[in-house]
Amino acid sequence: MMWLLVFIIFTFAYEGETQTDFNPYMEAFNKRPWKCDQDYVQVRPGAFLFYWLYYADGSSTGAHQKPLIIWIQGGPGLAASGIGNFAEFGPLNMDMEPRNHTWVNGRNVLLIDHPVGTGFSYAVDDSLLVRTDREMAIDLSKLIKGFFKKHKAFRQTPTYIIGQSYGGKLSPRLGYYLYTAIQKKSLKMNFKGIGIGSGWVNPRESALVQPDFLYLMGIIDQSTYLRCKQIVKNMSVVIDNNEFMRALKLDSVLFTMLHWETSMEINFNNINQVSPYPALDKLEIKVNKYVKPTLSHVVNQSLQWEYRSDIVYENLYQNFFVPSTKFLEMLLNSTKLKITVYNGNLDVVTPLAGATNWVHKLQWHGAEEFRDARREPIRGFRNGFYKKSRQLSLWSVFGAGHWVPEDNPTAMEQILEHMIDEAE
Ligand SMILES: *[C@@H]1O[C@H](CO)[C@@H](O)[C@H](O)[C@H]1NC(C)=O
Ligand SMILES: *[C@@H]1O[C@H](CO)[C@@H](O)[C@H](O)[C@H]1NC(C)=O
Ligand SMILES: *[C@@H]1O[C@H](CO)[C@@H](O)[C@H](O)[C@H]1NC(C)=O
Ligand SMILES: *[C@@H]1O[C@H](CO)[C@@H](O)[C@H](O)[C@H]1NC(C)=O
């Protein structure tokens, strides 16, 4: 009896010690340090946006001489500090192991948890959560202003905004606000271009082709296809009438039908992969247990980090189907900003054909030239094609779903190089 007790006490003490001391995130970071700056900017009284800057190649020395990428995650309400960071392109992956194709090789990367209420960002009161794309973009501009105020050395650094999914829809609007602030001299930054990955820029065009894509890939049967087709046709009509809440209702009918039909758990982010949610649930535990304590100088330790915020998402319902094509057309018509649009061919949320359709529908001075431009392969024949005219390019990425940076890093690298290359 005595023996057993001693054994139990010993076991508990030992487990207690391993739990508090072993931190795989710290282990990986100590092996290969990546210099960071994490901080908050108060964008409105009581509303705080969190950012995480990775200095290029892990060192702040001379970092401002290398390009800066500002990453705008989607959702709305998905946390960049977790998803962009660990699931897509940060120096460590979701298993807290080094990622070979990290964007931080040769580039500074600024991740933003937005809107307020997402990830490490917070508001003292839920009434401060944003309800429109406009409010969302204004908060982001304020964060970016705050960032360049603190990091003055980066004001001359060639800077690119890259948004994914809902963040891709927000980027043209944000880009327009930033461009205007620079013209008015209320912001100093060397803004060079916008990347739009799997962008929900034109929800009408993306939704219209979802049934086609699923049918052609054999994921839904003919009767479901025909019913879905009718729903998205009705959706396009209500969107044309600016009835965005009606579009959202039809969308939920559509997705209920698809979930019922595809009971085999199709991953709408990438039809060739298993569901990402179990891995994201694990990531949530790891970020709270291993990452958050390393940010105790910045982050209130009683904050529970979540990879997605449902309340933030629900607050933006009425904007979900609002397009941002007008902002993109204004930028194309009246600025020299380089616009780089990319999309994977295994993506159900924003199918590649939808992206191709909305990009070709853009009304701008280079539209005709763009339509007639010839496509070129992306690094050989297995990574897809791209086409460009003047400052606009469209990249059709093979083998990638909604998260292109992780799914096809070879194509993504070529896209980033094109974006950042001033001669192109
Ligand atoms: C990263 O690259 C190294 C060396 O090229 C290789 O041994 C390793 O397997 C790669 N890791 C991953 C996760 O791809
Ligand atoms: C589409 O709209 C038509 C005309 O308003 C209506 O009769 C039909 O029931 C709608 N179909 C679906 C699937 O929503
Ligand atoms: C941290 O958050 C908790 C809960 O919101 C709050 O009560 C506490 O005052 C905060 N601590 C600091 C140092 O701000
Ligand atoms: C952009 O220019 C095209 C013509 O080149 C014009 O049709 C379109 O209305 C313009 N759009 C905006 C938003 O400036």
Side-chain angles (χ1 to χ4, degrees):
M1 198 60 200
M2 191 65 188
W3 237 84
L4 191 65
L5 199 65
V6 170
F7 179 72
I8 287 170
I9 289 168
F10 178 78
T11 311
F12 268 110
Y14 181 72
E15 280 187 352
E17 194 173 84
T18 52
Q19 265 174 13
T20 48
D21 286 355
F22 182 69
N23 183 333
Y25 170 72
M26 285 293 287
E27 285 271 313
F29 241 75
N30 290 340
K31 257 186 224 154
R32 167 70 164 98
W34 293 92
K35 183 142 174 76
C36 301
D37 175 51
Q38 294 99 344
D39 208 347
Y40 284 105
V41 173
Q42 182 169 213
V43 292
R44 281 170 287 133
F48 297 84
L49 283 184
F50 173 86
Y51 72 76
W52 181 321
L53 169 70
Y54 281 106
Y55 287 96
D57 301 308
S59 163
S60 57
T61 312
H64 62 280
Q65 284 155 345
K66 299 168 187 172
L68 170 65
I69 294 173
I70 301 180
W71 175 254
I72 309 294
Q73 197 82 54
L78 291 175
S81 59
I83 297 189
N85 197 3
F86 295 106
E88 298 193 72
F89 53 73
L92 300 178
N93 66 19
M94 290 209 272
D95 297 321
M96 305 286 147
E97 285 163 355
R99 171 182 276 114
N100 286 347
H101 60 265
T102 176
W103 287 13
V104 186
N105 287 330
R107 307 170 194 111
N108 304 282
V109 179
L110 178 68
L111 299 152
I112 304 169
D113 279 349
H114 88 106
V116 165
T118 302
F120 289 118
S121 295
Y122 66 96
V124 295
D125 194 287
D126 281 353
S127 68
L128 294 168
L129 300 180
V130 298
R131 301 190 77 91
T132 62
D133 289 357
R134 181 174 176 274
E135 290 172 353
M136 212 164 157
I138 288 173
D139 279 359
L140 276 171
S141 334
K142 285 189 188 154
L143 177 123
I144 289 168
K145 276 185 193 176
F147 171 81
F148 282 108
K149 210 172 198 178
K150 178 173 174 187
H151 292 277
K152 293 196 172 60
F154 280 112
R155 284 177 172 176
Q156 303 302 322
T157 303
T159 299
Y160 305 84
I161 306 275
I162 304 185
Q164 177 174 287
S165 193
Y166 206 90
K169 161 160 97 126
L170 207 64
S171 299
R173 184 189 281 272
L174 173 63
Y176 184 74
Y177 292 0
L178 295 176
Y179 182 80
T180 310
I182 295 165
Q183 298 296 102
K184 287 187 187 154
K185 303 210 185 304
S186 66
L187 170 67
K188 275 196 192 127
M189 72 180 270
N190 186 5
F191 187 22
K192 289 290 196 185
I194 295 177
I196 297 171
S198 328
W200 190 242
V201 173
N202 187 330
R204 180 190 190 276
E205 298 303 321
S206 291
L208 263 176
V209 296
Q210 283 167 343
D212 297 324
F213 176 66
L214 291 166
Y215 182 55
L216 291 170
M217 296 308 289
I219 292 168
I220 54 174
D221 197 8
Q222 195 187 48
S223 58
T224 309
Y225 168 63
L226 294 173
R227 275 185 293 158
C228 290
K229 198 77 191 146
Q230 190 56 52
I231 297 174
V232 295
K233 264 192 199 141
N234 285 10
M235 261 163 89
S236 72
V237 172
V238 298
I239 292 172
D240 287 341
N241 294 333
N242 293 340
E243 295 175 277
F244 299 116
M245 282 311 280
R246 283 188 70 191
L248 192 74
K249 288 214 180 80
L250 287 168
D251 195 45
S252 79
V253 174
L254 178 71
F255 270 81
T256 308
M257 193 177 286
L258 291 176
H259 279 296
W260 176 80
E261 163 102 7
T262 62
S263 51
M264 53 203 260
E265 289 264 330
I266 292 293
N267 174 358
F268 288 121
N269 273 349
N270 182 327
I271 55 165
N272 278 1
Q273 286 177 6
V274 297
S275 164
Y277 298 114
L280 290 171
D281 288 338
K282 280 190 197 148
L283 178 69
E284 199 161 278
I285 295 167
K286 289 176 195 165
V287 169
N288 281 299
K289 196 166 163 188
Y290 302 129
V291 180
K292 193 172 71 182
T294 69
L295 302 174
S296 60
H297 56 294
V298 188
V299 173
N300 184 330
Q301 295 297 298
S302 65
L303 185 149
Q304 270 306 109
W305 186 91
E306 293 175 323
Y307 74 81
R308 71 154 193 249
S309 165
D310 291 336
I311 180 169
V312 162
Y313 179 80
E314 286 158 17
N315 264 278
L316 281 151
Y317 270 166
Q318 73 231 35
N319 271 236
F320 201 75
F321 278 90
V322 176
S324 69
T325 36
K326 272 280 161 293
F327 289 96
L328 202 51
E329 288 167 349
M330 284 194 281
L331 291 174
L332 283 165
N333 275 355
S334 50
T335 77
K336 294 247 178 303
L337 292 171
K338 208 160 164 180
I339 310 290
T340 307
V341 182
Y342 60 91
N343 207 108
N345 70 342
L346 303 175
D347 189 344
V348 182
V349 185
T350 58
L352 177 55
T356 307
N357 287 345
W358 70 251
V359 172
H360 281 89
K361 276 192 174 174
L362 289 171
Q363 297 183 354
W364 66 294
H365 57 76
E368 234 176 277
E369 195 181 297
F370 182 80
R371 192 193 57 213
D372 298 336
R374 196 180 148 75
R375 298 202 305 172
E376 301 281 344
I378 305 171
R379 284 201 190 160
F381 288 95
R382 295 183 156 268
N383 293 307
F385 293 94
Y386 72 99
K387 66 186 290 189
K388 63 175 178 151
S389 113
R390 305 184 194 177
Q391 73 264 46
L392 177 69
S393 64
L394 170 65
W395 301 69
S396 308
V397 181
F398 291 179
H402 209 51
W403 295 351
V404 177
E406 180 68 352
D407 289 353
N408 190 335
T410 307
M412 192 69 237
E413 190 58 30
Q414 172 96 5
I415 295 167
L416 291 177
E417 281 173 22
H418 162 84
M419 218 180 140
I420 287 166
D421 185 351
E422 308 245 347
E424 277 216 49

